[in-house]
Amino acid sequence: GTFNQWGNLPMRLVSDNLWTAYTYFESSNPSFKFDAKGDWSVNWGDNDFNGIVDWSGANIPVVGNSGYYQISFNENNGRYEVEQR
């Protein structure tokens, strides 16, 4: 995402189908997407910002203050959450 110039941020499998990562977002309109292979050939964003990913969808904006965030993604149902920590 914008926090690392669209580089890779590995996620960690924490339970069945649930992946998480932690990162720091600045307050200048940060956004991100999920990239399964690290080359954007398999990626998900969110076209309608409903918390469920869309194949090759729009960048996901992060709403909130600068700080550390936990990003969670359930690969089984496509749901994701972004929580400030």
Side-chain angles (χ1 to χ4, degrees):
T2 56
F3 62 94
N4 67 358
Q5 291 72 47
W6 296 96
N8 295 326
L9 175 66
M11 298 186 84
R12 186 176 56 138
L13 185 63
V14 295
S15 66
D16 289 343
N17 304 306
L18 184 62
W19 297 83
T20 64
Y22 294 90
T23 192
Y24 186 84
F25 287 113
E26 296 287 336
S27 61
S28 58
N29 301 316
S31 62
F32 70 96
K33 290 176 77 170
F34 296 99
D35 177 12
K37 294 186 175 187
D39 62 4
W40 298 104
S41 65
V42 178
N43 74 85
W44 301 273
D46 191 350
N47 292 332
D48 49 10
F49 310 114
N50 63 354
I52 300 172
V53 296
D54 298 298
W55 172 259
S56 197
N59 295 350
I60 301 168
V62 177
V63 179
N65 299 319
S66 295
Y68 288 95
Y69 284 77
Q70 176 181 343
I71 302 169
S72 301
F73 175 63
N74 186 312
E75 67 181 329
N76 190 44
N77 61 19
R79 294 190 181 278
Y80 69 89
E81 291 183 1
V82 180
E83 299 176 278
Q84 189 167 13
R85 295 291 179 165

PDB file of all heavy atoms in Angstrom, residues 5-42:
ATOM      1  N   GLN A   5       5.164   2.152  -0.312  1.00  0.00           N
ATOM      2  CA  GLN A   5       5.299   2.390  -1.744  1.00  0.00           C
ATOM      3  C   GLN A   5       4.872   1.172  -2.567  1.00  0.00           C
ATOM      4  O   GLN A   5       5.471   0.828  -3.568  1.00  0.00           O
ATOM      5  CB  GLN A   5       6.724   2.808  -2.111  1.00  0.00           C
ATOM      6  CG  GLN A   5       7.126   4.170  -1.611  1.00  0.00           C
ATOM      7  CD  GLN A   5       7.336   4.213  -0.102  1.00  0.00           C
ATOM      8  OE1 GLN A   5       7.997   3.360   0.462  1.00  0.00           O
ATOM      9  NE2 GLN A   5       6.747   5.200   0.548  1.00  0.00           N
ATOM     10  N   TRP A   6       3.822   0.505  -2.119  1.00  0.00           N
ATOM     11  CA  TRP A   6       3.216  -0.649  -2.779  1.00  0.00           C
ATOM     12  C   TRP A   6       4.150  -1.850  -2.846  1.00  0.00           C
ATOM     13  O   TRP A   6       4.047  -2.696  -3.720  1.00  0.00           O
ATOM     14  CB  TRP A   6       2.643  -0.282  -4.150  1.00  0.00           C
ATOM     15  CG  TRP A   6       1.541   0.702  -3.979  1.00  0.00           C
ATOM     16  CD1 TRP A   6       1.631   2.062  -4.082  1.00  0.00           C
ATOM     17  CD2 TRP A   6       0.209   0.434  -3.586  1.00  0.00           C
ATOM     18  NE1 TRP A   6       0.436   2.643  -3.782  1.00  0.00           N
ATOM     19  CE2 TRP A   6      -0.479   1.669  -3.471  1.00  0.00           C
ATOM     20  CE3 TRP A   6      -0.502  -0.720  -3.313  1.00  0.00           C
ATOM     21  CZ2 TRP A   6      -1.806   1.776  -3.107  1.00  0.00           C
ATOM     22  CZ3 TRP A   6      -1.834  -0.607  -2.954  1.00  0.00           C
ATOM     23  CH2 TRP A   6      -2.468   0.625  -2.857  1.00  0.00           C
ATOM     24  N   GLY A   7       5.057  -1.934  -1.879  1.00  0.00           N
ATOM     25  CA  GLY A   7       5.894  -3.121  -1.737  1.00  0.00           C
ATOM     26  C   GLY A   7       5.120  -4.222  -1.026  1.00  0.00           C
ATOM     27  O   GLY A   7       3.927  -4.098  -0.742  1.00  0.00           O
ATOM     28  N   ASN A   8       5.795  -5.300  -0.708  1.00  0.00           N
ATOM     29  CA  ASN A   8       5.164  -6.441  -0.051  1.00  0.00           C
ATOM     30  C   ASN A   8       5.203  -6.293   1.461  1.00  0.00           C
ATOM     31  O   ASN A   8       6.183  -5.813   2.019  1.00  0.00           O
ATOM     32  CB  ASN A   8       5.884  -7.739  -0.423  1.00  0.00           C
ATOM     33  CG  ASN A   8       5.742  -8.062  -1.886  1.00  0.00           C
ATOM     34  OD1 ASN A   8       4.721  -7.778  -2.490  1.00  0.00           O
ATOM     35  ND2 ASN A   8       6.770  -8.650  -2.461  1.00  0.00           N
ATOM     36  N   LEU A   9       4.144  -6.717   2.111  1.00  0.00           N
ATOM     37  CA  LEU A   9       4.078  -6.859   3.565  1.00  0.00           C
ATOM     38  C   LEU A   9       3.505  -8.242   3.831  1.00  0.00           C
ATOM     39  O   LEU A   9       2.292  -8.457   3.662  1.00  0.00           O
ATOM     40  CB  LEU A   9       3.189  -5.787   4.200  1.00  0.00           C
ATOM     41  CG  LEU A   9       2.969  -5.934   5.705  1.00  0.00           C
ATOM     42  CD1 LEU A   9       4.283  -5.722   6.463  1.00  0.00           C
ATOM     43  CD2 LEU A   9       1.907  -4.961   6.182  1.00  0.00           C
ATOM     44  N   PRO A  10       4.348  -9.200   4.200  1.00  0.00           N
ATOM     45  CA  PRO A  10       3.848 -10.554   4.443  1.00  0.00           C
ATOM     46  C   PRO A  10       2.815 -10.580   5.563  1.00  0.00           C
ATOM     47  O   PRO A  10       2.952  -9.884   6.569  1.00  0.00           O
ATOM     48  CB  PRO A  10       5.091 -11.340   4.847  1.00  0.00           C
ATOM     49  CG  PRO A  10       6.238 -10.546   4.313  1.00  0.00           C
ATOM     50  CD  PRO A  10       5.793  -9.110   4.376  1.00  0.00           C
ATOM     51  N   MET A  11       1.798 -11.383   5.368  1.00  0.00           N
ATOM     52  CA  MET A  11       0.786 -11.601   6.397  1.00  0.00           C
ATOM     53  C   MET A  11       1.070 -12.948   7.050  1.00  0.00           C
ATOM     54  O   MET A  11       1.690 -13.827   6.445  1.00  0.00           O
ATOM     55  CB  MET A  11      -0.614 -11.571   5.800  1.00  0.00           C
ATOM     56  CG  MET A  11      -0.970 -10.234   5.179  1.00  0.00           C
ATOM     57  SD  MET A  11      -2.683 -10.128   4.628  1.00  0.00           S
ATOM     58  CE  MET A  11      -3.469  -9.660   6.183  1.00  0.00           C
ATOM     59  N   ARG A  12       0.597 -13.096   8.270  1.00  0.00           N
ATOM     60  CA  ARG A  12       0.838 -14.320   9.038  1.00  0.00           C
ATOM     61  C   ARG A  12      -0.487 -15.052   9.226  1.00  0.00           C
ATOM     62  O   ARG A  12      -1.499 -14.440   9.584  1.00  0.00           O
ATOM     63  CB  ARG A  12       1.427 -13.934  10.386  1.00  0.00           C
ATOM     64  CG  ARG A  12       1.871 -15.079  11.231  1.00  0.00           C
ATOM     65  CD  ARG A  12       2.521 -14.545  12.468  1.00  0.00           C
ATOM     66  NE  ARG A  12       1.561 -13.665  13.128  1.00  0.00           N
ATOM     67  CZ  ARG A  12       1.344 -13.624  14.423  1.00  0.00           C
ATOM     68  NH1 ARG A  12       2.046 -14.354  15.233  1.00  0.00           N
ATOM     69  NH2 ARG A  12       0.444 -12.821  14.930  1.00  0.00           N
ATOM     70  N   LEU A  13      -0.481 -16.350   8.981  1.00  0.00           N
ATOM     71  CA  LEU A  13      -1.671 -17.180   9.186  1.00  0.00           C
ATOM     72  C   LEU A  13      -1.837 -17.384  10.689  1.00  0.00           C
ATOM     73  O   LEU A  13      -0.957 -17.942  11.341  1.00  0.00           O
ATOM     74  CB  LEU A  13      -1.520 -18.521   8.472  1.00  0.00           C
ATOM     75  CG  LEU A  13      -2.719 -19.454   8.502  1.00  0.00           C
ATOM     76  CD1 LEU A  13      -3.909 -18.837   7.775  1.00  0.00           C
ATOM     77  CD2 LEU A  13      -2.353 -20.795   7.879  1.00  0.00           C
ATOM     78  N   VAL A  14      -2.961 -16.921  11.262  1.00  0.00           N
ATOM     79  CA  VAL A  14      -3.166 -17.001  12.708  1.00  0.00           C
ATOM     80  C   VAL A  14      -4.222 -18.029  13.103  1.00  0.00           C
ATOM     81  O   VAL A  14      -4.291 -18.428  14.264  1.00  0.00           O
ATOM     82  CB  VAL A  14      -3.509 -15.619  13.315  1.00  0.00           C
ATOM     83  CG1 VAL A  14      -2.330 -14.677  13.174  1.00  0.00           C
ATOM     84  CG2 VAL A  14      -4.750 -15.025  12.675  1.00  0.00           C
ATOM     85  N   SER A  15      -5.068 -18.423  12.186  1.00  0.00           N
ATOM     86  CA  SER A  15      -6.034 -19.504  12.392  1.00  0.00           C
ATOM     87  C   SER A  15      -6.525 -19.933  11.012  1.00  0.00           C
ATOM     88  O   SER A  15      -6.103 -19.382  10.008  1.00  0.00           O
ATOM     89  CB  SER A  15      -7.183 -19.073  13.301  1.00  0.00           C
ATOM     90  OG  SER A  15      -7.963 -18.074  12.701  1.00  0.00           O
ATOM     91  N   ASP A  16      -7.426 -20.902  10.979  1.00  0.00           N
ATOM     92  CA  ASP A  16      -7.905 -21.400   9.690  1.00  0.00           C
ATOM     93  C   ASP A  16      -8.387 -20.248   8.809  1.00  0.00           C
ATOM     94  O   ASP A  16      -9.324 -19.532   9.173  1.00  0.00           O
ATOM     95  CB  ASP A  16      -9.049 -22.395   9.885  1.00  0.00           C
ATOM     96  CG  ASP A  16      -8.580 -23.715  10.467  1.00  0.00           C
ATOM     97  OD1 ASP A  16      -7.365 -23.989  10.428  1.00  0.00           O
ATOM     98  OD2 ASP A  16      -9.427 -24.475  10.974  1.00  0.00           O
ATOM     99  N   ASN A  17      -7.728 -20.058   7.686  1.00  0.00           N
ATOM    100  CA  ASN A  17      -8.099 -19.079   6.661  1.00  0.00           C
ATOM    101  C   ASN A  17      -7.957 -17.617   7.084  1.00  0.00           C
ATOM    102  O   ASN A  17      -8.341 -16.730   6.335  1.00  0.00           O
ATOM    103  CB  ASN A  17      -9.541 -19.307   6.180  1.00  0.00           C
ATOM    104  CG  ASN A  17      -9.745 -20.699   5.664  1.00  0.00           C
ATOM    105  OD1 ASN A  17      -9.021 -21.158   4.797  1.00  0.00           O
ATOM    106  ND2 ASN A  17     -10.733 -21.394   6.201  1.00  0.00           N
ATOM    107  N   LEU A  18      -7.457 -17.332   8.278  1.00  0.00           N
ATOM    108  CA  LEU A  18      -7.356 -15.956   8.771  1.00  0.00           C
ATOM    109  C   LEU A  18      -5.897 -15.504   8.827  1.00  0.00           C
ATOM    110  O   LEU A  18      -5.071 -16.105   9.516  1.00  0.00           O
ATOM    111  CB  LEU A  18      -7.994 -15.818  10.150  1.00  0.00           C
ATOM    112  CG  LEU A  18      -8.016 -14.397  10.708  1.00  0.00           C
ATOM    113  CD1 LEU A  18      -8.853 -13.469   9.820  1.00  0.00           C
ATOM    114  CD2 LEU A  18      -8.542 -14.400  12.142  1.00  0.00           C
ATOM    115  N   TRP A  19      -5.627 -14.441   8.088  1.00  0.00           N
ATOM    116  CA  TRP A  19      -4.288 -13.867   7.990  1.00  0.00           C
ATOM    117  C   TRP A  19      -4.285 -12.493   8.633  1.00  0.00           C
ATOM    118  O   TRP A  19      -5.272 -11.761   8.537  1.00  0.00           O
ATOM    119  CB  TRP A  19      -3.901 -13.727   6.524  1.00  0.00           C
ATOM    120  CG  TRP A  19      -3.814 -15.026   5.790  1.00  0.00           C
ATOM    121  CD1 TRP A  19      -4.845 -15.731   5.233  1.00  0.00           C
ATOM    122  CD2 TRP A  19      -2.642 -15.782   5.552  1.00  0.00           C
ATOM    123  NE1 TRP A  19      -4.386 -16.876   4.650  1.00  0.00           N
ATOM    124  CE2 TRP A  19      -3.017 -16.930   4.827  1.00  0.00           C
ATOM    125  CE3 TRP A  19      -1.294 -15.599   5.863  1.00  0.00           C
ATOM    126  CZ2 TRP A  19      -2.111 -17.890   4.422  1.00  0.00           C
ATOM    127  CZ3 TRP A  19      -0.380 -16.560   5.452  1.00  0.00           C
ATOM    128  CH2 TRP A  19      -0.792 -17.684   4.741  1.00  0.00           C
ATOM    129  N   THR A  20      -3.160 -12.115   9.258  1.00  0.00           N
ATOM    130  CA  THR A  20      -3.043 -10.776   9.830  1.00  0.00           C
ATOM    131  C   THR A  20      -1.667 -10.195   9.547  1.00  0.00           C
ATOM    132  O   THR A  20      -0.697 -10.918   9.302  1.00  0.00           O
ATOM    133  CB  THR A  20      -3.272 -10.739  11.360  1.00  0.00           C
ATOM    134  OG1 THR A  20      -2.250 -11.494  11.989  1.00  0.00           O
ATOM    135  CG2 THR A  20      -4.630 -11.259  11.732  1.00  0.00           C
ATOM    136  N   ALA A  21      -1.618  -8.876   9.590  1.00  0.00           N
ATOM    137  CA  ALA A  21      -0.362  -8.134   9.479  1.00  0.00           C
ATOM    138  C   ALA A  21      -0.527  -6.845  10.278  1.00  0.00           C
ATOM    139  O   ALA A  21      -1.642  -6.368  10.487  1.00  0.00           O
ATOM    140  CB  ALA A  21      -0.037  -7.810   8.025  1.00  0.00           C
ATOM    141  N   TYR A  22       0.582  -6.302  10.718  1.00  0.00           N
ATOM    142  CA  TYR A  22       0.597  -5.022  11.425  1.00  0.00           C
ATOM    143  C   TYR A  22       1.450  -4.046  10.634  1.00  0.00           C
ATOM    144  O   TYR A  22       2.500  -4.415  10.111  1.00  0.00           O
ATOM    145  CB  TYR A  22       1.190  -5.186  12.828  1.00  0.00           C
ATOM    146  CG  TYR A  22       0.341  -6.033  13.731  1.00  0.00           C
ATOM    147  CD1 TYR A  22       0.516  -7.406  13.799  1.00  0.00           C
ATOM    148  CD2 TYR A  22      -0.654  -5.459  14.508  1.00  0.00           C
ATOM    149  CE1 TYR A  22      -0.272  -8.189  14.618  1.00  0.00           C
ATOM    150  CE2 TYR A  22      -1.453  -6.234  15.333  1.00  0.00           C
ATOM    151  CZ  TYR A  22      -1.246  -7.597  15.382  1.00  0.00           C
ATOM    152  OH  TYR A  22      -2.041  -8.368  16.191  1.00  0.00           O
ATOM    153  N   THR A  23       0.998  -2.798  10.556  1.00  0.00           N
ATOM    154  CA  THR A  23       1.770  -1.777   9.863  1.00  0.00           C
ATOM    155  C   THR A  23       1.443  -0.406  10.422  1.00  0.00           C
ATOM    156  O   THR A  23       0.470  -0.243  11.156  1.00  0.00           O
ATOM    157  CB  THR A  23       1.537  -1.817   8.340  1.00  0.00           C
ATOM    158  OG1 THR A  23       2.510  -1.015   7.697  1.00  0.00           O
ATOM    159  CG2 THR A  23       0.135  -1.371   7.981  1.00  0.00           C
ATOM    160  N   TYR A  24       2.226   0.568  10.045  1.00  0.00           N
ATOM    161  CA  TYR A  24       2.028   1.950  10.467  1.00  0.00           C
ATOM    162  C   TYR A  24       1.503   2.744   9.283  1.00  0.00           C
ATOM    163  O   TYR A  24       2.083   2.699   8.194  1.00  0.00           O
ATOM    164  CB  TYR A  24       3.351   2.553  10.943  1.00  0.00           C
ATOM    165  CG  TYR A  24       3.191   3.929  11.527  1.00  0.00           C
ATOM    166  CD1 TYR A  24       2.832   4.104  12.853  1.00  0.00           C
ATOM    167  CD2 TYR A  24       3.365   5.062  10.745  1.00  0.00           C
ATOM    168  CE1 TYR A  24       2.666   5.362  13.390  1.00  0.00           C
ATOM    169  CE2 TYR A  24       3.200   6.333  11.270  1.00  0.00           C
ATOM    170  CZ  TYR A  24       2.855   6.468  12.595  1.00  0.00           C
ATOM    171  OH  TYR A  24       2.678   7.717  13.131  1.00  0.00           O
ATOM    172  N   PHE A  25       0.400   3.463   9.476  1.00  0.00           N
ATOM    173  CA  PHE A  25      -0.156   4.314   8.436  1.00  0.00           C
ATOM    174  C   PHE A  25      -0.023   5.774   8.837  1.00  0.00           C
ATOM    175  O   PHE A  25      -0.302   6.129   9.974  1.00  0.00           O
ATOM    176  CB  PHE A  25      -1.648   4.020   8.210  1.00  0.00           C
ATOM    177  CG  PHE A  25      -1.928   2.720   7.509  1.00  0.00           C
ATOM    178  CD1 PHE A  25      -2.555   1.680   8.177  1.00  0.00           C
ATOM    179  CD2 PHE A  25      -1.589   2.537   6.184  1.00  0.00           C
ATOM    180  CE1 PHE A  25      -2.835   0.489   7.541  1.00  0.00           C
ATOM    181  CE2 PHE A  25      -1.864   1.355   5.527  1.00  0.00           C
ATOM    182  CZ  PHE A  25      -2.488   0.332   6.210  1.00  0.00           C
ATOM    183  N   GLU A  26       0.384   6.592   7.890  1.00  0.00           N
ATOM    184  CA  GLU A  26       0.383   8.040   8.072  1.00  0.00           C
ATOM    185  C   GLU A  26      -1.023   8.549   7.803  1.00  0.00           C
ATOM    186  O   GLU A  26      -1.839   7.855   7.213  1.00  0.00           O
ATOM    187  CB  GLU A  26       1.360   8.707   7.087  1.00  0.00           C
ATOM    188  CG  GLU A  26       2.803   8.339   7.294  1.00  0.00           C
ATOM    189  CD  GLU A  26       3.400   8.980   8.536  1.00  0.00           C
ATOM    190  OE1 GLU A  26       2.892  10.029   8.977  1.00  0.00           O
ATOM    191  OE2 GLU A  26       4.373   8.432   9.063  1.00  0.00           O
ATOM    192  N   SER A  27      -1.300   9.777   8.167  1.00  0.00           N
ATOM    193  CA  SER A  27      -2.653  10.310   8.010  1.00  0.00           C
ATOM    194  C   SER A  27      -2.919  10.909   6.625  1.00  0.00           C
ATOM    195  O   SER A  27      -3.976  11.448   6.387  1.00  0.00           O
ATOM    196  CB  SER A  27      -2.918  11.374   9.074  1.00  0.00           C
ATOM    197  OG  SER A  27      -2.002  12.429   8.917  1.00  0.00           O
ATOM    198  N   SER A  28      -1.993  10.801   5.700  1.00  0.00           N
ATOM    199  CA  SER A  28      -2.170  11.418   4.381  1.00  0.00           C
ATOM    200  C   SER A  28      -2.845  10.468   3.387  1.00  0.00           C
ATOM    201  O   SER A  28      -2.247  10.005   2.431  1.00  0.00           O
ATOM    202  CB  SER A  28      -0.821  11.885   3.838  1.00  0.00           C
ATOM    203  OG  SER A  28       0.072  10.794   3.757  1.00  0.00           O
ATOM    204  N   ASN A  29      -4.113  10.141   3.631  1.00  0.00           N
ATOM    205  CA  ASN A  29      -4.921   9.307   2.733  1.00  0.00           C
ATOM    206  C   ASN A  29      -4.292   7.946   2.417  1.00  0.00           C
ATOM    207  O   ASN A  29      -4.150   7.588   1.245  1.00  0.00           O
ATOM    208  CB  ASN A  29      -5.225  10.054   1.434  1.00  0.00           C
ATOM    209  CG  ASN A  29      -5.955  11.336   1.680  1.00  0.00           C
ATOM    210  OD1 ASN A  29      -6.890  11.383   2.466  1.00  0.00           O
ATOM    211  ND2 ASN A  29      -5.522  12.400   1.024  1.00  0.00           N
ATOM    212  N   PRO A  30      -3.934   7.166   3.421  1.00  0.00           N
ATOM    213  CA  PRO A  30      -3.327   5.859   3.140  1.00  0.00           C
ATOM    214  C   PRO A  30      -4.335   4.881   2.538  1.00  0.00           C
ATOM    215  O   PRO A  30      -5.544   4.987   2.768  1.00  0.00           O
ATOM    216  CB  PRO A  30      -2.867   5.383   4.511  1.00  0.00           C
ATOM    217  CG  PRO A  30      -3.776   6.063   5.466  1.00  0.00           C
ATOM    218  CD  PRO A  30      -4.101   7.394   4.841  1.00  0.00           C
ATOM    219  N   SER A  31      -3.817   3.939   1.774  1.00  0.00           N
ATOM    220  CA  SER A  31      -4.648   2.878   1.201  1.00  0.00           C
ATOM    221  C   SER A  31      -3.778   1.651   0.953  1.00  0.00           C
ATOM    222  O   SER A  31      -2.551   1.724   0.982  1.00  0.00           O
ATOM    223  CB  SER A  31      -5.311   3.348  -0.097  1.00  0.00           C
ATOM    224  OG  SER A  31      -4.348   3.661  -1.066  1.00  0.00           O
ATOM    225  N   PHE A  32      -4.447   0.525   0.699  1.00  0.00           N
ATOM    226  CA  PHE A  32      -3.730  -0.726   0.466  1.00  0.00           C
ATOM    227  C   PHE A  32      -4.618  -1.671  -0.327  1.00  0.00           C
ATOM    228  O   PHE A  32      -5.795  -1.412  -0.544  1.00  0.00           O
ATOM    229  CB  PHE A  32      -3.303  -1.376   1.795  1.00  0.00           C
ATOM    230  CG  PHE A  32      -4.457  -1.922   2.593  1.00  0.00           C
ATOM    231  CD1 PHE A  32      -4.804  -3.259   2.511  1.00  0.00           C
ATOM    232  CD2 PHE A  32      -5.209  -1.097   3.416  1.00  0.00           C
ATOM    233  CE1 PHE A  32      -5.875  -3.762   3.236  1.00  0.00           C
ATOM    234  CE2 PHE A  32      -6.278  -1.590   4.152  1.00  0.00           C
ATOM    235  CZ  PHE A  32      -6.606  -2.916   4.056  1.00  0.00           C
ATOM    236  N   LYS A  33      -4.036  -2.799  -0.746  1.00  0.00           N
ATOM    237  CA  LYS A  33      -4.752  -3.913  -1.360  1.00  0.00           C
ATOM    238  C   LYS A  33      -4.088  -5.197  -0.878  1.00  0.00           C
ATOM    239  O   LYS A  33      -3.000  -5.157  -0.312  1.00  0.00           O
ATOM    240  CB  LYS A  33      -4.661  -3.845  -2.888  1.00  0.00           C
ATOM    241  CG  LYS A  33      -5.458  -2.708  -3.499  1.00  0.00           C
ATOM    242  CD  LYS A  33      -5.261  -2.607  -4.994  1.00  0.00           C
ATOM    243  CE  LYS A  33      -6.042  -3.660  -5.717  1.00  0.00           C
ATOM    244  NZ  LYS A  33      -6.060  -3.451  -7.184  1.00  0.00           N
ATOM    245  N   PHE A  34      -4.718  -6.310  -1.116  1.00  0.00           N
ATOM    246  CA  PHE A  34      -4.155  -7.613  -0.801  1.00  0.00           C
ATOM    247  C   PHE A  34      -3.557  -8.207  -2.072  1.00  0.00           C
ATOM    248  O   PHE A  34      -4.214  -8.233  -3.113  1.00  0.00           O
ATOM    249  CB  PHE A  34      -5.241  -8.548  -0.251  1.00  0.00           C
ATOM    250  CG  PHE A  34      -5.822  -8.070   1.047  1.00  0.00           C
ATOM    251  CD1 PHE A  34      -7.025  -7.392   1.068  1.00  0.00           C
ATOM    252  CD2 PHE A  34      -5.156  -8.299   2.241  1.00  0.00           C
ATOM    253  CE1 PHE A  34      -7.570  -6.952   2.265  1.00  0.00           C
ATOM    254  CE2 PHE A  34      -5.680  -7.857   3.441  1.00  0.00           C
ATOM    255  CZ  PHE A  34      -6.890  -7.180   3.453  1.00  0.00           C
ATOM    256  N   ASP A  35      -2.317  -8.677  -1.982  1.00  0.00           N
ATOM    257  CA  ASP A  35      -1.584  -9.234  -3.122  1.00  0.00           C
ATOM    258  C   ASP A  35      -1.081 -10.617  -2.727  1.00  0.00           C
ATOM    259  O   ASP A  35      -0.152 -10.739  -1.940  1.00  0.00           O
ATOM    260  CB  ASP A  35      -0.422  -8.298  -3.461  1.00  0.00           C
ATOM    261  CG  ASP A  35       0.455  -8.800  -4.580  1.00  0.00           C
ATOM    262  OD1 ASP A  35       0.075  -9.759  -5.263  1.00  0.00           O
ATOM    263  OD2 ASP A  35       1.541  -8.226  -4.765  1.00  0.00           O
ATOM    264  N   ALA A  36      -1.701 -11.664  -3.254  1.00  0.00           N
ATOM    265  CA  ALA A  36      -1.411 -13.033  -2.820  1.00  0.00           C
ATOM    266  C   ALA A  36      -0.031 -13.531  -3.212  1.00  0.00           C
ATOM    267  O   ALA A  36       0.589 -14.272  -2.467  1.00  0.00           O
ATOM    268  CB  ALA A  36      -2.473 -13.983  -3.358  1.00  0.00           C
ATOM    269  N   LYS A  37       0.471 -13.144  -4.375  1.00  0.00           N
ATOM    270  CA  LYS A  37       1.729 -13.711  -4.869  1.00  0.00           C
ATOM    271  C   LYS A  37       2.899 -12.730  -4.861  1.00  0.00           C
ATOM    272  O   LYS A  37       4.006 -13.094  -5.223  1.00  0.00           O
ATOM    273  CB  LYS A  37       1.535 -14.248  -6.286  1.00  0.00           C
ATOM    274  CG  LYS A  37       0.582 -15.421  -6.340  1.00  0.00           C
ATOM    275  CD  LYS A  37       0.542 -16.013  -7.720  1.00  0.00           C
ATOM    276  CE  LYS A  37      -0.318 -17.247  -7.737  1.00  0.00           C
ATOM    277  NZ  LYS A  37      -0.230 -17.933  -9.023  1.00  0.00           N
ATOM    278  N   GLY A  38       2.649 -11.491  -4.488  1.00  0.00           N
ATOM    279  CA  GLY A  38       3.721 -10.504  -4.460  1.00  0.00           C
ATOM    280  C   GLY A  38       4.042  -9.912  -5.814  1.00  0.00           C
ATOM    281  O   GLY A  38       5.009  -9.167  -5.955  1.00  0.00           O
ATOM    282  N   ASP A  39       3.232 -10.223  -6.845  1.00  0.00           N
ATOM    283  CA  ASP A  39       3.494  -9.682  -8.187  1.00  0.00           C
ATOM    284  C   ASP A  39       2.228  -9.068  -8.809  1.00  0.00           C
ATOM    285  O   ASP A  39       2.193  -8.775  -9.992  1.00  0.00           O
ATOM    286  CB  ASP A  39       4.042 -10.773  -9.105  1.00  0.00           C
ATOM    287  CG  ASP A  39       3.066 -11.927  -9.329  1.00  0.00           C
ATOM    288  OD1 ASP A  39       1.905 -11.869  -8.844  1.00  0.00           O
ATOM    289  OD2 ASP A  39       3.468 -12.896  -9.982  1.00  0.00           O
ATOM    290  N   TRP A  40       1.186  -8.896  -8.019  1.00  0.00           N
ATOM    291  CA  TRP A  40      -0.101  -8.307  -8.406  1.00  0.00           C
ATOM    292  C   TRP A  40      -0.911  -9.148  -9.388  1.00  0.00           C
ATOM    293  O   TRP A  40      -1.945  -8.722  -9.862  1.00  0.00           O
ATOM    294  CB  TRP A  40       0.060  -6.874  -8.935  1.00  0.00           C
ATOM    295  CG  TRP A  40       0.621  -6.003  -7.872  1.00  0.00           C
ATOM    296  CD1 TRP A  40       1.905  -5.556  -7.780  1.00  0.00           C
ATOM    297  CD2 TRP A  40      -0.054  -5.523  -6.715  1.00  0.00           C
ATOM    298  NE1 TRP A  40       2.067  -4.817  -6.627  1.00  0.00           N
ATOM    299  CE2 TRP A  40       0.871  -4.783  -5.962  1.00  0.00           C
ATOM    300  CE3 TRP A  40      -1.349  -5.639  -6.238  1.00  0.00           C
ATOM    301  CZ2 TRP A  40       0.542  -4.170  -4.755  1.00  0.00           C
ATOM    302  CZ3 TRP A  40      -1.685  -5.035  -5.045  1.00  0.00           C
ATOM    303  CH2 TRP A  40      -0.734  -4.309  -4.322  1.00  0.00           C
ATOM    304  N   SER A  41      -0.477 -10.366  -9.691  1.00  0.00           N
ATOM    305  CA  SER A  41      -1.251 -11.222 -10.594  1.00  0.00           C
ATOM    306  C   SER A  41      -2.511 -11.762  -9.916  1.00  0.00           C
ATOM    307  O   SER A  41      -3.484 -12.085 -10.595  1.00  0.00           O
ATOM    308  CB  SER A  41      -0.391 -12.372 -11.117  1.00  0.00           C
ATOM    309  OG  SER A  41      -0.008 -13.238 -10.062  1.00  0.00           O
ATOM    310  N   VAL A  42      -2.500 -11.883  -8.596  1.00  0.00           N
ATOM    311  CA  VAL A  42      -3.664 -12.298  -7.816  1.00  0.00           C
ATOM    312  C   VAL A  42      -3.827 -11.261  -6.711  1.00  0.00           C
ATOM    313  O   VAL A  42      -3.083 -11.263  -5.734  1.00  0.00           O
ATOM    314  CB  VAL A  42      -3.473 -13.700  -7.199  1.00  0.00           C
ATOM    315  CG1 VAL A  42      -4.679 -14.087  -6.357  1.00  0.00           C
ATOM    316  CG2 VAL A  42      -3.218 -14.737  -8.279  1.00  0.00           C
TER     317      VAL A  42
END
